[in-house]
PDB file of all heavy atoms in Angstrom:
ATOM      1  N   LYS A   1     118.648  55.027  54.682  1.00 89.00           N
ATOM      2  CA  LYS A   1     117.816  55.293  53.502  1.00 89.00           C
ATOM      3  C   LYS A   1     117.702  56.816  53.320  1.00 89.00           C
ATOM      4  O   LYS A   1     117.686  57.610  54.203  1.00 89.00           O
ATOM      5  CB  LYS A   1     116.419  54.741  53.694  1.00 89.00           C
ATOM      6  CG  LYS A   1     116.399  53.236  53.868  1.00 89.00           C
ATOM      7  CD  LYS A   1     116.873  52.462  52.611  1.00 89.00           C
ATOM      8  CE  LYS A   1     116.744  50.973  52.780  1.00 89.00           C
ATOM      9  NZ  LYS A   1     117.296  50.240  51.568  1.00 89.00           N
ATOM     10  N   ILE A   2     117.682  57.122  52.026  1.00 87.00           N
ATOM     11  CA  ILE A   2     117.565  58.579  51.626  1.00 87.00           C
ATOM     12  C   ILE A   2     116.330  59.199  52.196  1.00 87.00           C
ATOM     13  O   ILE A   2     116.328  60.338  52.665  1.00 87.00           O
ATOM     14  CB  ILE A   2     117.591  58.676  50.079  1.00 87.00           C
ATOM     15  CG1 ILE A   2     119.038  58.455  49.566  1.00 87.00           C
ATOM     16  CG2 ILE A   2     117.113  60.055  49.664  1.00 87.00           C
ATOM     17  CD1 ILE A   2     119.117  58.476  48.059  1.00 87.00           C
ATOM     18  N   LYS A   3     115.232  58.430  52.194  1.00 86.00           N
ATOM     19  CA  LYS A   3     113.919  59.001  52.640  1.00 86.00           C
ATOM     20  C   LYS A   3     113.988  59.382  54.147  1.00 86.00           C
ATOM     21  O   LYS A   3     113.237  60.228  54.540  1.00 86.00           O
ATOM     22  CB  LYS A   3     112.818  57.967  52.428  1.00 86.00           C
ATOM     23  CG  LYS A   3     112.937  56.672  53.165  1.00 86.00           C
ATOM     24  CD  LYS A   3     111.811  55.745  52.830  1.00 86.00           C
ATOM     25  CE  LYS A   3     111.935  54.356  53.588  1.00 86.00           C
ATOM     26  NZ  LYS A   3     110.853  53.451  53.128  1.00 86.00           N
ATOM     27  N   ASP A   4     114.895  58.761  54.902  1.00 87.00           N
ATOM     28  CA  ASP A   4     115.082  59.108  56.297  1.00 87.00           C
ATOM     29  C   ASP A   4     115.960  60.264  56.595  1.00 87.00           C
ATOM     30  O   ASP A   4     115.985  60.820  57.683  1.00 87.00           O
ATOM     31  CB  ASP A   4     115.569  57.882  57.110  1.00 87.00           C
ATOM     32  CG  ASP A   4     114.590  56.680  57.044  1.00 87.00           C
ATOM     33  OD1 ASP A   4     113.387  56.911  57.072  1.00 87.00           O
ATOM     34  OD2 ASP A   4     115.079  55.512  56.919  1.00 87.00           O
ATOM     35  N   ALA A   5     116.665  60.680  55.534  1.00 85.00           N
ATOM     36  CA  ALA A   5     117.589  61.819  55.677  1.00 85.00           C
ATOM     37  C   ALA A   5     117.053  63.083  55.083  1.00 85.00           C
ATOM     38  O   ALA A   5     117.578  64.179  55.394  1.00 85.00           O
ATOM     39  CB  ALA A   5     118.911  61.474  55.004  1.00 85.00           C
ATOM     40  N   MET A   6     115.968  62.974  54.317  1.00 80.00           N
ATOM     41  CA  MET A   6     115.389  64.176  53.697  1.00 80.00           C
ATOM     42  C   MET A   6     114.590  64.973  54.695  1.00 80.00           C
ATOM     43  O   MET A   6     114.033  64.424  55.646  1.00 80.00           O
ATOM     44  CB  MET A   6     114.432  63.728  52.528  1.00 80.00           C
ATOM     45  CG  MET A   6     115.115  63.059  51.358  1.00 80.00           C
ATOM     46  SD  MET A   6     113.878  62.300  50.255  1.00 80.00           S
ATOM     47  CE  MET A   6     112.654  63.537  50.084  1.00 80.00           C
ATOM     48  N   GLU A   7     114.598  66.285  54.441  1.00 71.00           N
ATOM     49  CA  GLU A   7     113.810  67.161  55.376  1.00 71.00           C
ATOM     50  C   GLU A   7     112.358  67.064  54.906  1.00 71.00           C
ATOM     51  O   GLU A   7     112.048  67.148  53.732  1.00 71.00           O
ATOM     52  CB  GLU A   7     114.310  68.614  55.242  1.00 71.00           C
ATOM     53  CG  GLU A   7     115.634  68.807  55.940  1.00 71.00           C
ATOM     54  CD  GLU A   7     115.945  70.274  56.011  1.00 71.00           C
ATOM     55  OE1 GLU A   7     115.106  71.100  55.758  1.00 71.00           O
ATOM     56  OE2 GLU A   7     117.094  70.604  56.356  1.00 71.00           O
ATOM     57  N   GLY A   8     111.423  67.020  55.832  1.00 59.00           N
ATOM     58  CA  GLY A   8     110.011  66.967  55.499  1.00 59.00           C
ATOM     59  C   GLY A   8     109.426  68.343  55.273  1.00 59.00           C
ATOM     60  O   GLY A   8     109.959  69.367  55.712  1.00 59.00           O
ATOM     61  N   ASP A   9     108.330  68.430  54.443  1.00 59.00           N
ATOM     62  CA  ASP A   9     107.661  69.627  54.179  1.00 59.00           C
ATOM     63  C   ASP A   9     108.572  70.705  53.659  1.00 59.00           C
ATOM     64  O   ASP A   9     108.606  71.874  54.187  1.00 59.00           O
ATOM     65  CB  ASP A   9     106.865  70.153  55.420  1.00 59.00           C
ATOM     66  CG  ASP A   9     105.842  69.139  55.887  1.00 59.00           C
ATOM     67  OD1 ASP A   9     105.200  68.495  55.058  1.00 59.00           O
ATOM     68  OD2 ASP A   9     105.710  69.026  57.156  1.00 59.00           O
ATOM     69  N   ALA A  10     109.412  70.361  52.705  1.00 70.00           N
ATOM     70  CA  ALA A  10     110.367  71.341  52.149  1.00 70.00           C
ATOM     71  C   ALA A  10     109.634  72.482  51.414  1.00 70.00           C
ATOM     72  O   ALA A  10     108.589  72.292  50.848  1.00 70.00           O
ATOM     73  CB  ALA A  10     111.298  70.645  51.223  1.00 70.00           C
ATOM     74  N   GLU A  11     110.230  73.681  51.518  1.00 82.00           N
ATOM     75  CA  GLU A  11     109.642  74.877  50.867  1.00 82.00           C
ATOM     76  C   GLU A  11     109.830  74.712  49.315  1.00 82.00           C
ATOM     77  O   GLU A  11     110.746  74.038  48.852  1.00 82.00           O
ATOM     78  CB  GLU A  11     110.325  76.130  51.376  1.00 82.00           C
ATOM     79  CG  GLU A  11     110.081  76.386  52.832  1.00 82.00           C
ATOM     80  CD  GLU A  11     108.617  76.845  53.074  1.00 82.00           C
ATOM     81  OE1 GLU A  11     107.977  77.342  52.171  1.00 82.00           O
ATOM     82  OE2 GLU A  11     108.205  76.653  54.218  1.00 82.00           O
ATOM     83  N   THR A  12     108.983  75.407  48.573  1.00 88.00           N
ATOM     84  CA  THR A  12     109.097  75.413  47.139  1.00 88.00           C
ATOM     85  C   THR A  12     108.885  76.813  46.624  1.00 88.00           C
ATOM     86  O   THR A  12     108.478  77.728  47.362  1.00 88.00           O
ATOM     87  CB  THR A  12     108.034  74.490  46.502  1.00 88.00           C
ATOM     88  OG1 THR A  12     106.697  75.011  46.786  1.00 88.00           O
ATOM     89  CG2 THR A  12     108.130  73.045  46.982  1.00 88.00           C
ATOM     90  N   VAL A  13     109.200  77.054  45.375  1.00 90.00           N
ATOM     91  CA  VAL A  13     108.983  78.337  44.742  1.00 90.00           C
ATOM     92  C   VAL A  13     108.163  78.123  43.398  1.00 90.00           C
ATOM     93  O   VAL A  13     108.229  77.017  42.839  1.00 90.00           O
ATOM     94  CB  VAL A  13     110.255  79.121  44.421  1.00 90.00           C
ATOM     95  CG1 VAL A  13     110.958  79.576  45.713  1.00 90.00           C
ATOM     96  CG2 VAL A  13     111.221  78.269  43.558  1.00 90.00           C
ATOM     97  N   ALA A  14     107.454  79.147  43.014  1.00 92.00           N
ATOM     98  CA  ALA A  14     106.660  79.072  41.801  1.00 92.00           C
ATOM     99  C   ALA A  14     107.484  79.623  40.611  1.00 92.00           C
ATOM    100  O   ALA A  14     108.309  80.478  40.764  1.00 92.00           O
ATOM    101  CB  ALA A  14     105.348  79.844  41.986  1.00 92.00           C
ATOM    102  N   PRO A  15     107.164  79.169  39.403  1.00 93.00           N
ATOM    103  CA  PRO A  15     107.914  79.585  38.235  1.00 93.00           C
ATOM    104  C   PRO A  15     107.774  81.129  37.973  1.00 93.00           C
ATOM    105  O   PRO A  15     108.713  81.740  37.425  1.00 93.00           O
ATOM    106  CB  PRO A  15     107.296  78.831  37.090  1.00 93.00           C
ATOM    107  CG  PRO A  15     106.657  77.623  37.722  1.00 93.00           C
ATOM    108  CD  PRO A  15     106.187  78.084  39.061  1.00 93.00           C
ATOM    109  N   ASP A  16     106.652  81.763  38.347  1.00 93.00           N
ATOM    110  CA  ASP A  16     106.472  83.154  38.039  1.00 93.00           C
ATOM    111  C   ASP A  16     106.999  84.081  39.162  1.00 93.00           C
ATOM    112  O   ASP A  16     106.836  85.328  39.061  1.00 93.00           O
ATOM    113  CB  ASP A  16     104.991  83.443  37.780  1.00 93.00           C
ATOM    114  CG  ASP A  16     104.115  83.030  38.907  1.00 93.00           C
ATOM    115  OD1 ASP A  16     104.595  82.404  39.844  1.00 93.00           O
ATOM    116  OD2 ASP A  16     102.884  83.368  38.848  1.00 93.00           O
ATOM    117  N   MET A  17     107.600  83.500  40.182  1.00 94.00           N
ATOM    118  CA  MET A  17     108.170  84.284  41.279  1.00 94.00           C
ATOM    119  C   MET A  17     109.426  85.021  40.736  1.00 94.00           C
ATOM    120  O   MET A  17     110.188  84.461  39.952  1.00 94.00           O
ATOM    121  CB  MET A  17     108.486  83.351  42.419  1.00 94.00           C
ATOM    122  CG  MET A  17     109.011  84.059  43.643  1.00 94.00           C
ATOM    123  SD  MET A  17     109.420  82.802  44.964  1.00 94.00           S
ATOM    124  CE  MET A  17     109.658  83.838  46.381  1.00 94.00           C
ATOM    125  N   THR A  18     109.620  86.281  41.156  1.00 94.00           N
ATOM    126  CA  THR A  18     110.796  86.956  40.703  1.00 94.00           C
ATOM    127  C   THR A  18     112.062  86.313  41.193  1.00 94.00           C
ATOM    128  O   THR A  18     112.057  85.739  42.319  1.00 94.00           O
ATOM    129  CB  THR A  18     110.866  88.407  41.125  1.00 94.00           C
ATOM    130  OG1 THR A  18     111.005  88.469  42.547  1.00 94.00           O
ATOM    131  CG2 THR A  18     109.595  89.170  40.740  1.00 94.00           C
ATOM    132  N   LEU A  19     113.077  86.285  40.415  1.00 95.00           N
ATOM    133  CA  LEU A  19     114.348  85.630  40.798  1.00 95.00           C
ATOM    134  C   LEU A  19     114.942  86.239  42.027  1.00 95.00           C
ATOM    135  O   LEU A  19     115.525  85.546  42.872  1.00 95.00           O
ATOM    136  CB  LEU A  19     115.320  85.703  39.604  1.00 95.00           C
ATOM    137  CG  LEU A  19     116.425  84.615  39.547  1.00 95.00           C
ATOM    138  CD1 LEU A  19     115.896  83.214  39.668  1.00 95.00           C
ATOM    139  CD2 LEU A  19     117.208  84.752  38.201  1.00 95.00           C
ATOM    140  N   PHE A  20     114.718  87.546  42.227  1.00 94.00           N
ATOM    141  CA  PHE A  20     115.250  88.223  43.385  1.00 94.00           C
ATOM    142  C   PHE A  20     114.590  87.784  44.663  1.00 94.00           C
ATOM    143  O   PHE A  20     115.212  87.540  45.688  1.00 94.00           O
ATOM    144  CB  PHE A  20     115.166  89.720  43.213  1.00 94.00           C
ATOM    145  CG  PHE A  20     115.789  90.522  44.339  1.00 94.00           C
ATOM    146  CD1 PHE A  20     117.179  90.292  44.689  1.00 94.00           C
ATOM    147  CD2 PHE A  20     115.123  91.449  45.061  1.00 94.00           C
ATOM    148  CE1 PHE A  20     117.755  91.001  45.703  1.00 94.00           C
ATOM    149  CE2 PHE A  20     115.706  92.202  46.069  1.00 94.00           C
ATOM    150  CZ  PHE A  20     117.038  91.957  46.403  1.00 94.00           C
ATOM    151  N   ASP A  21     113.249  87.615  44.590  1.00 93.00           N
ATOM    152  CA  ASP A  21     112.478  87.144  45.770  1.00 93.00           C
ATOM    153  C   ASP A  21     112.953  85.702  46.190  1.00 93.00           C
ATOM    154  O   ASP A  21     113.079  85.432  47.372  1.00 93.00           O
ATOM    155  CB  ASP A  21     110.963  87.183  45.515  1.00 93.00           C
ATOM    156  CG  ASP A  21     110.419  88.573  45.553  1.00 93.00           C
ATOM    157  OD1 ASP A  21     111.050  89.485  46.174  1.00 93.00           O
ATOM    158  OD2 ASP A  21     109.338  88.823  44.985  1.00 93.00           O
ATOM    159  N   ALA A  22     113.111  84.914  45.119  1.00 94.00           N
ATOM    160  CA  ALA A  22     113.586  83.511  45.430  1.00 94.00           C
ATOM    161  C   ALA A  22     115.000  83.584  46.008  1.00 94.00           C
ATOM    162  O   ALA A  22     115.282  82.833  46.947  1.00 94.00           O
ATOM    163  CB  ALA A  22     113.570  82.740  44.151  1.00 94.00           C
ATOM    164  N   TYR A  23     115.817  84.424  45.491  1.00 93.00           N
ATOM    165  CA  TYR A  23     117.225  84.533  45.987  1.00 93.00           C
ATOM    166  C   TYR A  23     117.255  84.954  47.467  1.00 93.00           C
ATOM    167  O   TYR A  23     117.967  84.417  48.245  1.00 93.00           O
ATOM    168  CB  TYR A  23     117.982  85.533  45.114  1.00 93.00           C
ATOM    169  CG  TYR A  23     119.290  85.912  45.655  1.00 93.00           C
ATOM    170  CD1 TYR A  23     120.421  85.085  45.639  1.00 93.00           C
ATOM    171  CD2 TYR A  23     119.512  87.201  46.247  1.00 93.00           C
ATOM    172  CE1 TYR A  23     121.619  85.472  46.133  1.00 93.00           C
ATOM    173  CE2 TYR A  23     120.739  87.574  46.748  1.00 93.00           C
ATOM    174  CZ  TYR A  23     121.808  86.692  46.722  1.00 93.00           C
ATOM    175  OH  TYR A  23     123.011  87.066  47.216  1.00 93.00           O
ATOM    176  N   LYS A  24     116.417  85.950  47.769  1.00 92.00           N
ATOM    177  CA  LYS A  24     116.405  86.438  49.203  1.00 92.00           C
ATOM    178  C   LYS A  24     115.912  85.375  50.120  1.00 92.00           C
ATOM    179  O   LYS A  24     116.434  85.179  51.203  1.00 92.00           O
ATOM    180  CB  LYS A  24     115.418  87.679  49.275  1.00 92.00           C
ATOM    181  CG  LYS A  24     115.987  88.921  48.672  1.00 92.00           C
ATOM    182  CD  LYS A  24     115.161  90.130  49.060  1.00 92.00           C
ATOM    183  CE  LYS A  24     113.758  90.043  48.430  1.00 92.00           C
ATOM    184  NZ  LYS A  24     112.910  91.266  48.711  1.00 92.00           N
ATOM    185  N   ALA A  25     114.920  84.568  49.705  1.00 90.00           N
ATOM    186  CA  ALA A  25     114.376  83.477  50.543  1.00 90.00           C
ATOM    187  C   ALA A  25     115.445  82.410  50.748  1.00 90.00           C
ATOM    188  O   ALA A  25     115.624  81.874  51.869  1.00 90.00           O
ATOM    189  CB  ALA A  25     113.133  82.891  49.918  1.00 90.00           C
ATOM    190  N   MET A  26     116.221  82.111  49.716  1.00 90.00           N
ATOM    191  CA  MET A  26     117.230  81.083  49.751  1.00 90.00           C
ATOM    192  C   MET A  26     118.394  81.554  50.652  1.00 90.00           C
ATOM    193  O   MET A  26     118.957  80.805  51.451  1.00 90.00           O
ATOM    194  CB  MET A  26     117.723  80.678  48.370  1.00 90.00           C
ATOM    195  CG  MET A  26     116.629  79.987  47.572  1.00 90.00           C
ATOM    196  SD  MET A  26     117.156  79.631  45.891  1.00 90.00           S
ATOM    197  CE  MET A  26     118.186  78.123  46.242  1.00 90.00           C
ATOM    198  N   GLN A  27     118.757  82.837  50.532  1.00 89.00           N
ATOM    199  CA  GLN A  27     119.824  83.422  51.347  1.00 89.00           C
ATOM    200  C   GLN A  27     119.424  83.407  52.813  1.00 89.00           C
ATOM    201  O   GLN A  27     120.217  83.027  53.694  1.00 89.00           O
ATOM    202  CB  GLN A  27     120.111  84.820  50.896  1.00 89.00           C
ATOM    203  CG  GLN A  27     120.947  84.889  49.628  1.00 89.00           C
ATOM    204  CD  GLN A  27     122.439  84.654  49.913  1.00 89.00           C
ATOM    205  OE1 GLN A  27     122.882  83.548  50.094  1.00 89.00           O
ATOM    206  NE2 GLN A  27     123.190  85.752  49.910  1.00 89.00           N
ATOM    207  N   LYS A  28     118.192  83.830  53.097  1.00 88.00           N
ATOM    208  CA  LYS A  28     117.717  83.944  54.478  1.00 88.00           C
ATOM    209  C   LYS A  28     117.670  82.582  55.161  1.00 88.00           C
ATOM    210  O   LYS A  28     118.036  82.493  56.330  1.00 88.00           O
ATOM    211  CB  LYS A  28     116.335  84.612  54.460  1.00 88.00           C
ATOM    212  CG  LYS A  28     115.725  84.756  55.861  1.00 88.00           C
ATOM    213  CD  LYS A  28     114.350  85.399  55.799  1.00 88.00           C
ATOM    214  CE  LYS A  28     113.699  85.487  57.176  1.00 88.00           C
ATOM    215  NZ  LYS A  28     112.380  86.058  57.101  1.00 88.00           N
ATOM    216  N   ASN A  29     117.191  81.572  54.458  1.00 86.00           N
ATOM    217  CA  ASN A  29     117.026  80.252  55.025  1.00 86.00           C
ATOM    218  C   ASN A  29     118.217  79.334  54.764  1.00 86.00           C
ATOM    219  O   ASN A  29     118.191  78.183  55.224  1.00 86.00           O
ATOM    220  CB  ASN A  29     115.735  79.624  54.512  1.00 86.00           C
ATOM    221  CG  ASN A  29     114.481  80.369  54.885  1.00 86.00           C
ATOM    222  OD1 ASN A  29     114.092  80.332  56.072  1.00 86.00           O
ATOM    223  ND2 ASN A  29     113.893  81.125  53.982  1.00 86.00           N
ATOM    224  N   LYS A  30     119.215  79.828  54.076  1.00 85.00           N
ATOM    225  CA  LYS A  30     120.459  79.063  53.777  1.00 85.00           C
ATOM    226  C   LYS A  30     120.095  77.766  53.033  1.00 85.00           C
ATOM    227  O   LYS A  30     120.609  76.711  53.359  1.00 85.00           O
ATOM    228  CB  LYS A  30     121.198  78.787  55.075  1.00 85.00           C
ATOM    229  CG  LYS A  30     121.666  80.002  55.781  1.00 85.00           C
ATOM    230  CD  LYS A  30     122.437  79.725  57.068  1.00 85.00           C
ATOM    231  CE  LYS A  30     122.912  80.973  57.738  1.00 85.00           C
ATOM    232  NZ  LYS A  30     123.691  80.737  59.005  1.00 85.00           N
ATOM    233  N   TRP A  31     119.258  77.910  51.979  1.00 85.00           N
ATOM    234  CA  TRP A  31     118.982  76.780  51.088  1.00 85.00           C
ATOM    235  C   TRP A  31     119.935  76.813  49.894  1.00 85.00           C
ATOM    236  O   TRP A  31     120.055  77.823  49.221  1.00 85.00           O
ATOM    237  CB  TRP A  31     117.556  76.872  50.549  1.00 85.00           C
ATOM    238  CG  TRP A  31     116.480  76.746  51.622  1.00 85.00           C
ATOM    239  CD1 TRP A  31     116.522  76.021  52.783  1.00 85.00           C
ATOM    240  CD2 TRP A  31     115.227  77.445  51.618  1.00 85.00           C
ATOM    241  NE1 TRP A  31     115.377  76.166  53.493  1.00 85.00           N
ATOM    242  CE2 TRP A  31     114.546  77.044  52.848  1.00 85.00           C
ATOM    243  CE3 TRP A  31     114.561  78.314  50.794  1.00 85.00           C
ATOM    244  CZ2 TRP A  31     113.330  77.461  53.158  1.00 85.00           C
ATOM    245  CZ3 TRP A  31     113.320  78.769  51.087  1.00 85.00           C
ATOM    246  CH2 TRP A  31     112.678  78.349  52.280  1.00 85.00           C
ATOM    247  N   ASP A  32     120.617  75.701  49.670  1.00 85.00           N
ATOM    248  CA  ASP A  32     121.464  75.604  48.464  1.00 85.00           C
ATOM    249  C   ASP A  32     120.651  75.373  47.176  1.00 85.00           C
ATOM    250  O   ASP A  32     121.071  75.777  46.071  1.00 85.00           O
ATOM    251  CB  ASP A  32     122.496  74.500  48.613  1.00 85.00           C
ATOM    252  CG  ASP A  32     123.501  74.798  49.747  1.00 85.00           C
ATOM    253  OD1 ASP A  32     123.834  75.989  49.900  1.00 85.00           O
ATOM    254  OD2 ASP A  32     123.951  73.848  50.427  1.00 85.00           O
ATOM    255  N   MET A  33     119.498  74.704  47.351  1.00 87.00           N
ATOM    256  CA  MET A  33     118.634  74.436  46.227  1.00 87.00           C
ATOM    257  C   MET A  33     117.190  74.320  46.715  1.00 87.00           C
ATOM    258  O   MET A  33     116.980  74.111  47.908  1.00 87.00           O
ATOM    259  CB  MET A  33     119.034  73.081  45.556  1.00 87.00           C
ATOM    260  CG  MET A  33     119.078  71.874  46.472  1.00 87.00           C
ATOM    261  SD  MET A  33     119.841  70.435  45.772  1.00 87.00           S
ATOM    262  CE  MET A  33     118.701  70.053  44.390  1.00 87.00           C
ATOM    263  N   ILE A  34     116.291  74.537  45.811  1.00 90.00           N
ATOM    264  CA  ILE A  34     114.848  74.476  46.160  1.00 90.00           C
ATOM    265  C   ILE A  34     114.074  74.012  44.977  1.00 90.00           C
ATOM    266  O   ILE A  34     114.444  74.209  43.841  1.00 90.00           O
ATOM    267  CB  ILE A  34     114.343  75.896  46.638  1.00 90.00           C
ATOM    268  CG1 ILE A  34     112.986  75.810  47.273  1.00 90.00           C
ATOM    269  CG2 ILE A  34     114.357  76.852  45.461  1.00 90.00           C
ATOM    270  CD1 ILE A  34     112.564  77.133  47.987  1.00 90.00           C
ATOM    271  N   ALA A  35     112.979  73.296  45.260  1.00 90.00           N
ATOM    272  CA  ALA A  35     112.170  72.770  44.166  1.00 90.00           C
ATOM    273  C   ALA A  35     111.233  73.828  43.588  1.00 90.00           C
ATOM    274  O   ALA A  35     110.751  74.717  44.261  1.00 90.00           O
ATOM    275  CB  ALA A  35     111.303  71.616  44.673  1.00 90.00           C
ATOM    276  N   VAL A  36     111.055  73.772  42.299  1.00 92.00           N
ATOM    277  CA  VAL A  36     110.149  74.665  41.579  1.00 92.00           C
ATOM    278  C   VAL A  36     108.855  73.884  41.256  1.00 92.00           C
ATOM    279  O   VAL A  36     108.916  72.844  40.531  1.00 92.00           O
ATOM    280  CB  VAL A  36     110.799  75.170  40.258  1.00 92.00           C
ATOM    281  CG1 VAL A  36     109.832  76.146  39.520  1.00 92.00           C
ATOM    282  CG2 VAL A  36     112.075  75.851  40.526  1.00 92.00           C
ATOM    283  N   MET A  37     107.742  74.312  41.797  1.00 90.00           N
ATOM    284  CA  MET A  37     106.475  73.641  41.613  1.00 90.00           C
ATOM    285  C   MET A  37     105.428  74.596  40.957  1.00 90.00           C
ATOM    286  O   MET A  37     105.388  75.747  41.280  1.00 90.00           O
ATOM    287  CB  MET A  37     105.927  73.204  42.993  1.00 90.00           C
ATOM    288  CG  MET A  37     106.897  72.294  43.794  1.00 90.00           C
ATOM    289  SD  MET A  37     107.053  70.668  43.074  1.00 90.00           S
ATOM    290  CE  MET A  37     105.510  69.911  43.509  1.00 90.00           C
TER     291      MET A  37
END
């Protein structure tokens, strides 16, 4: 099941966060995608 393969407590970013800060976080943690909340 998909629910068993998902990572728990995934990180998110806010809409007003600078794109560069989000980029650095994604590069550092090797995230291909992240949810915007």
Side-chain angles (χ1 to χ4, degrees):
K1 299 295 184 181
I2 287 176
K3 63 182 178 182
D4 296 323
M6 293 166 48
E7 290 189 10
D9 300 323
E11 295 289 335
T12 64
V13 292
D16 57 352
M17 185 180 191
T18 68
L19 204 50
F20 185 54
D21 285 340
Y23 170 74
K24 288 190 295 183
M26 295 178 76
Q27 283 280 77
K28 179 181 178 180
N29 296 286
K30 298 181 179 180
W31 295 326
D32 293 327
M33 57 190 296
I34 192 169
V36 181
M37 304 290 286

